PDB file of all heavy atoms in Angstrom:
ATOM      1  N   ARG A 204      -9.758  57.406 -14.848  1.00 97.00           N
ATOM      2  CA  ARG A 204     -10.301  56.035 -15.011  1.00 97.00           C
ATOM      3  C   ARG A 204      -9.002  55.202 -15.230  1.00 97.00           C
ATOM      4  O   ARG A 204      -8.901  54.091 -14.739  1.00 97.00           O
ATOM      5  CB  ARG A 204     -11.202  55.880 -16.157  1.00 97.00           C
ATOM      6  CG  ARG A 204     -12.537  56.452 -15.929  1.00 97.00           C
ATOM      7  CD  ARG A 204     -13.381  55.844 -14.723  1.00 97.00           C
ATOM      8  NE  ARG A 204     -13.404  54.430 -14.921  1.00 97.00           N
ATOM      9  CZ  ARG A 204     -13.462  53.465 -13.812  1.00 97.00           C
ATOM     10  NH1 ARG A 204     -13.322  53.997 -12.627  1.00 97.00           N
ATOM     11  NH2 ARG A 204     -13.620  52.163 -14.110  1.00 97.00           N
ATOM     12  N   PHE A 205      -8.041  55.577 -16.080  1.00 97.00           N
ATOM     13  CA  PHE A 205      -6.880  54.867 -16.413  1.00 97.00           C
ATOM     14  C   PHE A 205      -6.092  54.511 -15.041  1.00 97.00           C
ATOM     15  O   PHE A 205      -5.799  53.307 -14.870  1.00 97.00           O
ATOM     16  CB  PHE A 205      -5.956  55.731 -17.227  1.00 97.00           C
ATOM     17  CG  PHE A 205      -4.805  55.022 -17.801  1.00 97.00           C
ATOM     18  CD1 PHE A 205      -4.728  54.503 -19.237  1.00 97.00           C
ATOM     19  CD2 PHE A 205      -3.499  54.889 -17.151  1.00 97.00           C
ATOM     20  CE1 PHE A 205      -3.685  53.836 -19.772  1.00 97.00           C
ATOM     21  CE2 PHE A 205      -2.471  54.153 -17.703  1.00 97.00           C
ATOM     22  CZ  PHE A 205      -2.603  53.753 -18.936  1.00 97.00           C
ATOM     23  N   ALA A 206      -6.042  55.516 -14.191  1.00 97.00           N
ATOM     24  CA  ALA A 206      -5.320  55.286 -12.935  1.00 97.00           C
ATOM     25  C   ALA A 206      -6.192  54.234 -12.028  1.00 97.00           C
ATOM     26  O   ALA A 206      -5.587  53.450 -11.352  1.00 97.00           O
ATOM     27  CB  ALA A 206      -5.207  56.583 -12.161  1.00 97.00           C
ATOM     28  N   ASP A 207      -7.507  54.368 -12.114  1.00 96.00           N
ATOM     29  CA  ASP A 207      -8.372  53.428 -11.426  1.00 96.00           C
ATOM     30  C   ASP A 207      -8.085  51.987 -11.819  1.00 96.00           C
ATOM     31  O   ASP A 207      -8.024  51.083 -11.030  1.00 96.00           O
ATOM     32  CB  ASP A 207      -9.768  53.756 -11.606  1.00 96.00           C
ATOM     33  CG  ASP A 207     -10.347  54.800 -10.629  1.00 96.00           C
ATOM     34  OD1 ASP A 207      -9.660  55.122  -9.668  1.00 96.00           O
ATOM     35  OD2 ASP A 207     -11.484  55.231 -10.780  1.00 96.00           O
ATOM     36  N   HIS A 208      -7.959  51.812 -13.130  1.00 97.00           N
ATOM     37  CA  HIS A 208      -7.722  50.486 -13.663  1.00 97.00           C
ATOM     38  C   HIS A 208      -6.345  49.955 -13.175  1.00 97.00           C
ATOM     39  O   HIS A 208      -6.119  48.782 -12.858  1.00 97.00           O
ATOM     40  CB  HIS A 208      -7.843  50.403 -15.166  1.00 97.00           C
ATOM     41  CG  HIS A 208      -9.235  50.477 -15.734  1.00 97.00           C
ATOM     42  ND1 HIS A 208     -10.119  49.370 -15.610  1.00 97.00           N
ATOM     43  CD2 HIS A 208      -9.833  51.385 -16.438  1.00 97.00           C
ATOM     44  CE1 HIS A 208     -11.187  49.673 -16.140  1.00 97.00           C
ATOM     45  NE2 HIS A 208     -11.107  50.894 -16.710  1.00 97.00           N
ATOM     46  N   ALA A 209      -5.333  50.899 -13.106  1.00 97.00           N
ATOM     47  CA  ALA A 209      -4.055  50.432 -12.604  1.00 97.00           C
ATOM     48  C   ALA A 209      -4.250  50.084 -11.161  1.00 97.00           C
ATOM     49  O   ALA A 209      -3.521  49.137 -10.689  1.00 97.00           O
ATOM     50  CB  ALA A 209      -3.032  51.676 -12.704  1.00 97.00           C
ATOM     51  N   MET A 210      -5.105  50.729 -10.454  1.00 96.00           N
ATOM     52  CA  MET A 210      -5.376  50.282  -9.012  1.00 96.00           C
ATOM     53  C   MET A 210      -5.920  48.957  -8.972  1.00 96.00           C
ATOM     54  O   MET A 210      -5.576  48.199  -8.084  1.00 96.00           O
ATOM     55  CB  MET A 210      -6.390  51.243  -8.405  1.00 96.00           C
ATOM     56  CG  MET A 210      -5.899  52.715  -8.404  1.00 96.00           C
ATOM     57  SD  MET A 210      -5.275  53.101  -6.768  1.00 96.00           S
ATOM     58  CE  MET A 210      -6.756  52.793  -5.810  1.00 96.00           C
ATOM     59  N   ASN A 211      -6.800  48.655  -9.851  1.00 97.00           N
ATOM     60  CA  ASN A 211      -7.413  47.299  -9.831  1.00 97.00           C
ATOM     61  C   ASN A 211      -6.353  46.210 -10.095  1.00 97.00           C
ATOM     62  O   ASN A 211      -6.282  45.127  -9.438  1.00 97.00           O
ATOM     63  CB  ASN A 211      -8.466  47.152 -11.066  1.00 97.00           C
ATOM     64  CG  ASN A 211      -9.677  47.955 -10.807  1.00 97.00           C
ATOM     65  OD1 ASN A 211      -9.902  48.456  -9.729  1.00 97.00           O
ATOM     66  ND2 ASN A 211     -10.491  48.018 -11.816  1.00 97.00           N
ATOM     67  N   VAL A 212      -5.358  46.590 -11.017  1.00 97.00           N
ATOM     68  CA  VAL A 212      -4.261  45.583 -11.281  1.00 97.00           C
ATOM     69  C   VAL A 212      -3.426  45.452  -9.968  1.00 97.00           C
ATOM     70  O   VAL A 212      -3.151  44.429  -9.608  1.00 97.00           O
ATOM     71  CB  VAL A 212      -3.378  46.160 -12.464  1.00 97.00           C
ATOM     72  CG1 VAL A 212      -2.000  45.351 -12.498  1.00 97.00           C
ATOM     73  CG2 VAL A 212      -4.080  46.246 -13.683  1.00 97.00           C
ATOM     74  N   ALA A 213      -3.220  46.539  -9.228  1.00 97.00           N
ATOM     75  CA  ALA A 213      -2.472  46.520  -8.057  1.00 97.00           C
ATOM     76  C   ALA A 213      -3.090  45.627  -6.919  1.00 97.00           C
ATOM     77  O   ALA A 213      -2.435  44.831  -6.326  1.00 97.00           O
ATOM     78  CB  ALA A 213      -2.112  47.937  -7.459  1.00 97.00           C
ATOM     79  N   GLU A 214      -4.455  45.858  -6.902  1.00 97.00           N
ATOM     80  CA  GLU A 214      -5.252  45.020  -5.851  1.00 97.00           C
ATOM     81  C   GLU A 214      -5.042  43.591  -6.201  1.00 97.00           C
ATOM     82  O   GLU A 214      -4.906  42.723  -5.351  1.00 97.00           O
ATOM     83  CB  GLU A 214      -6.684  45.436  -5.956  1.00 97.00           C
ATOM     84  CG  GLU A 214      -6.868  46.777  -5.280  1.00 97.00           C
ATOM     85  CD  GLU A 214      -8.399  47.179  -5.419  1.00 97.00           C
ATOM     86  OE1 GLU A 214      -9.028  46.743  -6.410  1.00 97.00           O
ATOM     87  OE2 GLU A 214      -8.872  48.067  -4.612  1.00 97.00           O
ATOM     88  N   MET A 215      -5.190  43.204  -7.579  1.00 97.00           N
ATOM     89  CA  MET A 215      -5.090  41.765  -7.921  1.00 97.00           C
ATOM     90  C   MET A 215      -3.683  41.271  -7.726  1.00 97.00           C
ATOM     91  O   MET A 215      -3.436  40.031  -7.409  1.00 97.00           O
ATOM     92  CB  MET A 215      -5.492  41.569  -9.310  1.00 97.00           C
ATOM     93  CG  MET A 215      -6.935  41.733  -9.659  1.00 97.00           C
ATOM     94  SD  MET A 215      -8.008  40.767  -8.513  1.00 97.00           S
ATOM     95  CE  MET A 215      -7.539  39.078  -8.937  1.00 97.00           C
ATOM     96  N   VAL A 216      -2.687  42.118  -7.851  1.00 97.00           N
ATOM     97  CA  VAL A 216      -1.272  41.719  -7.541  1.00 97.00           C
ATOM     98  C   VAL A 216      -1.090  41.262  -6.117  1.00 97.00           C
ATOM     99  O   VAL A 216      -0.443  40.310  -5.782  1.00 97.00           O
ATOM    100  CB  VAL A 216      -0.276  42.648  -8.039  1.00 97.00           C
ATOM    101  CG1 VAL A 216       1.199  42.362  -7.515  1.00 97.00           C
ATOM    102  CG2 VAL A 216      -0.165  42.888  -9.511  1.00 97.00           C
TER     103      VAL A 216
END
Side-chain angles (χ1 to χ4, degrees):
Chain A
R204 290 298 305 148
F205 190 97
D207 274 351
H208 284 291
M210 300 263 298
N211 292 349
V212 173
E214 286 173 339
M215 287 310 296
V216 170

